[in-house]
Amino acid sequence: MFEGFRTFIMRGNVVDLAVGVVIGTAFGAVVESLVKDVLMAVIATLVGQPDFSNMLVFGAVRLGSFLTAVINFLLIAAAIYFFVVVPINKLNGLIRKPEPPPAPPKASAEEKLLTEIRDLLQQNITRS
């Protein structure tokens, strides 16, 4: 019972999806801050203040909030990588044994015939 659950949880798809959701959420905050705190602030100063909440005068663009969102994104990404991805990869390396490389495909009848012809031609060249 628990073996199947462990196999399900350790699948790459589940971990990749969880990492994608967390990273996507963090990146969403970066994009939201870029639009809200930087781009909308510049647009509001050019157009006036149509309906922007708490918009300040030009020169008061809130880059600090955007920078905080970028730093938060990088910290979240690093934390996810070092505390989730790396341990999962190490655990997968301990659990899974490396698969042997696949055997080369067997030569077809045509390939065998061409190999024989090549070998005979080489023998004739070396005799001359």
Side-chain angles (χ1 to χ4, degrees):
M1 179 176 163
F2 288 109
E3 181 67 30
F5 179 72
R6 186 182 72 168
T7 303
F8 169 73
I9 291 298
M10 296 306 291
R11 269 190 176 150
N13 296 345
V14 173
V15 174
D16 291 344
L17 179 62
V19 169
V21 168
V22 172
I23 292 292
T25 302
F27 191 71
V30 171
V31 172
E32 181 182 344
S33 179
L34 173 65
V35 171
K36 180 178 138 192
D37 299 327
V38 178
L39 298 177
M40 293 302 282
V42 171
I43 291 170
T45 57
L46 295 175
V47 178
Q49 196 166 357
D51 187 52
F52 299 105
S53 57
N54 298 329
M55 190 59 216
L56 301 173
V57 183
F58 186 72
V61 175
R62 298 184 334 177
L63 284 176
S65 180
F66 174 69
L67 191 58
T68 300
V70 170
I71 290 170
N72 284 342
F73 170 74
L74 293 175
L75 290 174
I76 289 170
I80 291 292
Y81 178 75
F82 288 112
F83 294 112
V84 175
V85 174
V86 169
I88 291 290
N89 286 342
K90 286 186 181 182
L91 196 59
N92 278 340
L94 294 175
I95 293 173
R96 294 183 189 164
K97 295 181 181 177
E99 296 179 15
K106 295 187 177 185
S108 66
E110 293 86 9
E111 290 174 320
K112 288 179 184 179
L113 182 60
L114 288 171
T115 303
E116 289 176 18
I117 294 171
R118 181 199 63 202
D119 294 341
L120 288 172
L121 287 172
Q122 285 178 345
Q123 287 176 358
N124 287 338
I125 292 174
T126 56
R127 286 185 193 163
S128 317

